[in-house]
Amino acid sequence: MFARMFDDAPQNEWHDVERVIREDFGGKSPEEVFGVSYTNKPGSGIIETKARASASVAQVHWARLADGREVAIKVQKREIASQVGWDLWAFKVVMKVYTYWFDLPLYSLVPYITERLMLETDFVNEANNAEQMAGLVASEPRLNGRVYIPKVYRDLSSSRVMTTEWIEGVRLWDKAALTAPWQGGYGKGSPGAKGTPLSSPSLTTLSNGDLKPDRSGEWRGRNGKGGLGLSLKQVMTTMVDLFSAQMFLWGVVHCDPHPGNIFIRRQPNGQPELVLIDHGLYVSMTPTFRHQYCQFWKAIMTFDNASLNEITSSWGVKAPDLFASATLMRPYDGGDNSTRDRITKDLKGKTAAERHYEVQERLRQGIRDVLSEEENFPRELLFIGRNMRIVQGNNQFLGSPVNRIKMTGWWASRSLVDSKDLSWRERWRYGLLGSKIRQFLGWGGGMEDDLEMQMRFLAKDQFGVELQHGVFDG
């Protein structure tokens, strides 16, 4: 089901693909651009004219270049340029109607949303994002070796064609292949793990149908029932760590992390390696906003309602508990519940139809409160929320193996200490640098223990409740 949802959109015919390539490469044919041959010409590469994956914007073809490199050639569909324009026009009309008819301040968000979506059709932008993310991952010891970003071949790319290294891996939706016992041999990884070159069998060993080699036999075993033998908890831990670092440490966020854009490979040490593809939809956060977002999450985790109100007020949000609930994607129980009370009050004694209407009106007012000062509302939150919702869905699909909310909160708090653009005084003010010093001196358990203690103290002191270990599950 997931494969059809993400990778099986209708494909364009090869002549349409060839036309895009010719238009973007000065009239050169695919044979000339990629050095391939349709007739197995000696010294040339090969290419599949049937796409391996097809989505709404582009489709991906496998090829092996003359030098042996296997590549993924992502070609934008010819009709997208005009289709996106009409789709975004329809989106603007709908948002205009909602703004006028329901008195909701939504239309002011349209320019930013359309700008981000249009950038998805610019593959030069996507290549820039991919290379930037590869550099950030490589510079972070907590992620380097756990996350992999495919190489982009700029000389074979354009604004509508992007060529990257081919990735062999298991898609996130294939739980059986992720967890089935490993049959690839001790001390070996799955094909391509850690960027190792793929084996290149001769053409005579390939099947008559597909040109791309099938390497699943290297790790699925003779009966074909083997898998990567990985822990879903380790897989999701890597995913949450990656996207938390993007939000809180770097301020560069991939906003489309659905299962079709994530491959999993097994490293020789038996640990998972997450491969992230499709870097078209990104948002960037200013250092000031990124620090605020870190503080916002820390305030949620520690029930620091004063800080929560201060931060959300600076964003023009008048319903902090509602906004916190929307961020957590579950009710936030640390606030004063004023929004919930405002929504549900005066419902007693009314008919079902009256209650339904009243709740809708209160919810609309809640949206107005969140967007009460449109000029101050950070537009990036729209796409950051999209990222978090998809990651939540990924976690739920895998059976919720990790405490996503707690992990996200820890990353937010740690990033206030690790951020290189904060002064020592600011790091100390956030109350976390002292934890690292005490941990280094052996005087305490460190920042996570301090946060846990602070959460439990505030919950007991302000609300009279004892926090259980699963309070922030999600």
Side-chain angles (χ1 to χ4, degrees):
M1 178 185 73
F2 280 104
R4 292 194 299 272
M5 182 184 300
F6 295 114
D7 279 344
D8 201 18
Q11 298 187 15
N12 279 8
E13 297 294 333
W14 178 249
H15 62 81
D16 288 322
V17 174
E18 186 173 11
R19 185 171 173 181
V20 171
I21 294 173
R22 286 183 179 276
E23 290 172 352
D24 273 30
F25 287 91
K28 293 182 179 180
S29 67
E31 297 98 315
E32 294 173 296
V33 174
F34 301 106
V36 297
S37 168
Y38 302 133
T39 59
N40 297 336
K41 179 181 176 182
S44 298
I46 53 177
I47 189 171
E48 289 184 342
T49 57
K50 181 180 179 181
R52 284 275 164 172
S54 178
S56 57
V57 173
Q59 58 192 55
V60 177
H61 294 261
W62 174 89
R64 192 169 79 192
L65 306 181
D67 59 11
R69 288 177 296 168
E70 293 185 31
V71 296
I73 303 173
K74 181 178 179 179
V75 183
Q76 189 174 125
K77 296 179 177 178
R78 291 195 66 252
E79 66 275 11
I80 285 301
S82 59
Q83 182 178 321
V84 167
W86 281 107
D87 288 347
L88 292 179
W89 176 83
F91 170 67
K92 291 178 182 179
V93 170
V94 170
M95 294 295 278
K96 192 73 171 179
V97 170
Y98 266 78
T99 299
Y100 174 78
W101 190 262
F102 297 105
D103 190 25
L104 295 174
L106 299 175
Y107 193 74
S108 62
L109 307 176
V110 167
Y112 184 81
I113 295 174
T114 55
E115 177 193 39
R116 293 293 100 191
L117 295 179
M118 282 300 297
L119 283 174
E120 272 203 281
T121 65
D122 180 0
F123 289 176
V124 173
N125 170 70
E126 180 174 349
N128 293 339
N129 291 338
E131 291 179 343
Q132 181 185 22
M133 186 52 55
L136 291 170
V137 168
S139 68
E140 175 49 57
R142 288 169 290 188
L143 292 169
N144 188 15
R146 300 169 62 204
V147 175
Y148 189 84
I149 309 297
K151 298 182 184 69
V152 178
Y153 300 117
R154 291 278 189 167
D155 57 326
L156 301 177
S157 301
S158 67
S159 62
R160 292 188 296 169
V161 178
M162 190 171 81
T163 304
T164 68
E165 64 176 302
W166 181 264
I167 295 298
E168 293 279 357
V170 174
R171 292 295 178 92
L172 190 68
W173 61 64
D174 194 347
K175 289 190 285 187
L178 291 174
T179 58
W182 172 251
Q183 298 187 30
Y186 178 77
K188 295 182 179 180
S190 58
K194 299 185 75 67
T196 55
L198 296 170
S199 59
S200 298
S202 63
L203 290 177
T204 57
T205 65
L206 301 178
S207 63
N208 294 328
D210 298 329
L211 295 175
K212 191 188 85 65
D214 180 4
R215 298 182 174 89
S216 61
E218 297 179 23
W219 51 275
R220 285 191 179 274
R222 293 182 179 179
N223 60 8
K225 295 182 179 180
L228 297 183
L230 297 174
S231 159
L232 295 180
K233 181 176 182 178
Q234 290 178 326
V235 171
M236 273 308 305
T237 296
T238 301
M239 186 187 306
V240 175
D241 284 346
L242 170 62
F243 294 119
S244 295
Q246 290 183 355
M247 286 184 284
F248 303 120
L249 192 60
W250 305 324
V252 181
V253 186
H254 185 299
C255 299
D256 200 19
H258 63 70
N261 287 338
I262 295 173
F263 287 92
I264 304 297
R265 302 191 292 205
R266 178 189 172 99
Q267 300 187 59
N269 62 4
Q271 298 299 308
E273 179 183 55
L274 186 150
V275 182
L276 184 64
I277 66 171
D278 196 354
H279 299 266
L281 186 58
Y282 267 59
V283 295
S284 297
M285 307 163 70
T286 65
T288 298
F289 172 55
R290 178 169 56 81
H291 297 154
Q292 286 182 328
Y293 197 59
C294 290
Q295 295 171 60
F296 170 72
W297 264 90
K298 181 174 180 284
I300 289 177
M301 294 295 292
T302 58
F303 299 144
D304 183 358
N305 294 318
S307 296
L308 186 65
N309 290 336
E310 179 182 352
I311 295 166
T312 54
S313 294
S314 71
W315 295 342
V317 175
K318 293 183 179 179
D321 51 340
L322 178 64
F323 191 72
S325 296
T327 300
L328 293 172
M329 288 167 283
R330 58 176 296 169
Y332 172 63
D333 296 324
D336 59 9
N337 295 321
S338 60
T339 304
R340 184 192 65 185
D341 294 342
R342 189 168 67 249
I343 292 175
T344 58
K345 73 176 183 178
D346 299 330
L347 295 182
K348 292 183 178 180
K350 294 189 176 182
T351 66
E354 290 173 332
R355 289 197 302 272
H356 180 72
Y357 174 79
E358 193 69 27
V359 167
Q360 284 189 328
E361 283 298 307
R362 300 295 184 182
L363 288 174
R364 278 195 285 268
Q365 184 58 47
I367 295 175
R368 297 185 192 105
D369 289 342
V370 169
L371 299 173
S372 60
E373 299 175 18
E374 303 169 52
E375 66 279 4
N376 293 328
F377 185 77
R379 271 50 173 171
E380 298 88 345
L381 287 171
L382 300 171
F383 288 96
I384 292 172
R386 170 187 168 86
N387 170 290
M388 298 192 70
R389 179 64 187 93
I390 296 175
V391 172
Q392 180 196 43
N394 292 341
N395 190 37
Q396 291 174 336
F397 174 71
L398 295 182
S400 298
V402 300
N403 189 325
R404 177 188 58 86
I405 292 176
K406 186 175 181 179
M407 290 177 62
T408 304
W410 293 153
W411 266 96
S413 300
R414 281 198 300 259
S415 297
L416 289 171
V417 174
D418 297 337
S419 181
K420 297 179 181 179
D421 46 13
L422 286 177
S423 67
W424 288 96
R425 178 175 295 180
E426 288 174 309
R427 299 186 201 187
W428 191 275
R429 179 166 60 87
Y430 294 133
L432 299 172
L433 186 57
S435 301
K436 298 192 76 171
I437 295 174
R438 289 194 300 274
Q439 185 180 30
F440 176 77
L441 296 175
W443 295 347
M447 183 184 64
E448 294 193 3
D449 293 323
D450 283 0
L451 276 172
E452 183 98 24
M453 187 181 303
Q454 187 177 2
M455 289 163 55
R456 294 183 181 280
F457 172 78
L458 288 172
K460 180 70 173 178
D461 181 64
Q462 296 186 22
F463 304 105
V465 297
E466 294 282 356
L467 286 186
Q468 303 300 317
H469 285 293
V471 67
F472 286 115
D473 286 347

